Amino acid sequence: MSLISSQQVAEHSSAESCWIIVHGKVYDVTQFLPEHPGGSRIILKYAGQDATEAYDPIHPPDAITTHLPKDKHLGAVDPKTIIKVVKEVTAEEKRRQELLAARPSLDEIVNLHDFEAVAKAILPAKAWAYYSSASDDEITIRENRAAYQRIWFRPRVLRDVSTVSWATTILGQKSSLPVYISATALGKLGHPDGELNLTRAAGKHGVIQMIPTLASCSFDEIVDAAVPGQVQFLQLYVNRDREITKRYVQHAEKRGVKGLFITVDAPQLGRREKDMRMKVVDEGGVAKVQDGQGDIKKDEGVARAISSFIDPSLSWKDIPWFKSITNMPIVLKGVATPEDALLAYDYGVAGIVLSNHGGRQLDTARSGIENLIEVVEALKTRGPWPNPRFSVFVDGGIRRASDVLKAIALGASAVGVGRAFMYSFSAYGQEGVEKAFQIFREELEMNMRLIGARTIDELEPSMVDASGLSSHVGFTPIDNLYNTTYQPLALAQFKTR
Ligand code: 173
């Protein structure tokens, strides 16, 4: 195929004829403009130009090649004709680079909140807004932390805790920690290697990673980066087109994925106002969200723009179908009541994640840890507890090994951690994630000794006092570390003149 000059590409710079360059290849996206989930405006901004830099963080590398018909793949751009544009470094970027160079060394990082503080300082404002934001008034995201502080330990003593072990199994798979890496979207907003930071660190330390449907890296890149025997799960957003979902799930199973976590708490994405105010979808852009919801306006944030494929009609009726297309254990991620926990059990899935999606969906939804108590009571009506055929996981707000141990004592099989690991790699890449694992290990060792539990199996409900958990009024100690990075919501701003 002959090469295309960048001057030729530049001639197609309008909605009538729109060519763009991504990773050195030229694409005719004219007909695709109205279908782009993020709206046409953002593409038109790069019409006739190289769009790679804007494309990369929010699309897996193969998104354009798989979605665009072959006849719109025009060929490679002639490298000799590329005019290197020296981009002006913005004041924000300059400041970011300076902060990056002045980061605390990893030795100075002693807890997971440290990663959050570094990430907040060094991330581009849009990335921080996307990662840190939660829905509406952000009551639930803060409750996720506060709930753990309403649980107190009842430690046992004189139990010979010379050796303690926190190794466990998760859905029958070995895990060096009672913690798995939960799915979080768009890893390249935080670090050029995106989710691969997690894969590599997890492979080295025997931690299980849940691969997100909306990763910045492609599914295969993430699986290819795993070491032999490394366990990975898959988080699934269910497509309106079930054939696409079926192919995706069966491909994952073929590639060795060991568990399928279907997200059930996001038929529509929550309104994350910090993200919305960033206008990531670009000035004037109009994106189609779910049918019947109408068009979303320019300022609804990056997550909503790329989530139009998610099927809001997903229902319990679909569960037998999922069981028919895969032998992977199926876990429903985002259950929040004992009623639904029992339905999940009766539909024969392998488990549930008690989650409120990191406070990003229904605001003032209760915390996963609070729901755990009622859910365990309900599940006891279905047989002996713990039940070997049904796992209950919890995520949301976990920053300390003590949080992990409280959840397990109350009946969780393991817990998911999303943001904290994302902040670790945003701040320090793979090494940051490895350090986060080390912090968990050190905290687990100390806390297990102090509680008097030598193994994960020895953790039991009598080791915690959760009597205040469901009381939503009353004293919670001020969480200074969390509050230092927590950015209060702001209201609409007047124009500066
Ligand atoms: O919480 C999220 O941001 C999320 O799950 C998501 C969903 C769709 C697109 C991007 C992110």
Side-chain angles (χ1 to χ4, degrees), residues 61-133:
D62 58 358
I64 192 159
T65 48
T66 49
H67 285 105
L68 211 62
K70 285 280 174 285
D71 63 318
K72 307 294 178 197
H73 301 202
L74 304 180
V77 67
D78 182 351
K80 288 199 297 293
T81 67
I82 297 172
I83 304 154
K84 280 264 173 290
V85 197
V86 184
K87 273 215 319 223
E88 217 178 294
V89 180
T90 60
E92 187 202 347
E93 182 55 22
K94 193 151 170 271
R95 179 160 162 68
R96 217 176 77 69
Q97 291 300 337
E98 281 165 10
L99 283 166
L100 208 53
R103 272 172 315 176
S105 73
L106 264 179
D107 293 342
E108 293 170 73
I109 301 297
V110 300
N111 62 43
L112 298 190
H113 296 282
D114 282 332
F115 289 114
E116 201 154 333
V118 176
K120 181 182 179 184
I122 58 100
L123 279 173
K126 283 176 184 175
W128 170 254
Y130 170 66
Y131 285 172
S132 66
S133 61

Side-chain angles (χ1 to χ4, degrees), residues 78 93 104 116 134 159 166 203 283 288 354 364 367 372 376 473:
D78 182 351
E93 182 55 22
E116 201 154 333
R159 288 190 155 185
W166 43 88
E283 296 298 320
K288 257 222 208 108
L354 299 177
T364 66
S367 65
L372 178 65
V376 166
V473 291

Side-chain angles (χ1 to χ4, degrees), residues 130 185-186 214 237 269 272 302-304 306-307 310 357 360:
Y130 170 66
L186 304 181
L214 289 161
Y237 273 122
L269 280 209
R272 295 102 187 233
V302 69
R304 284 194 132 199
I306 63 170
S307 62
I310 299 171
H357 209 116
R360 292 161 78 82

Side-chain angles (χ1 to χ4, degrees), residues 193-248:
D193 291 349
E195 296 80 11
L196 299 182
N197 291 299
L198 299 169
T199 313
R200 293 170 184 145
K204 216 163 138 184
H205 295 271
V207 176
I208 300 176
Q209 174 189 23
M210 189 195 297
I211 302 172
T213 296
L214 289 161
S216 296
C217 300
S218 73
F219 172 81
D220 285 302
E221 281 180 289
I222 299 174
V223 175
D224 290 342
V227 296
Q230 180 172 344
V231 179
Q232 293 174 308
F233 297 147
L234 178 68
Q235 174 267 337
L236 183 70
Y237 273 122
V238 179
N239 201 297
R240 294 158 190 277
D241 182 341
R242 290 294 197 279
E243 273 308 304
I244 294 178
T245 289
K246 182 177 167 189
R247 257 184 274 134
Y248 187 55

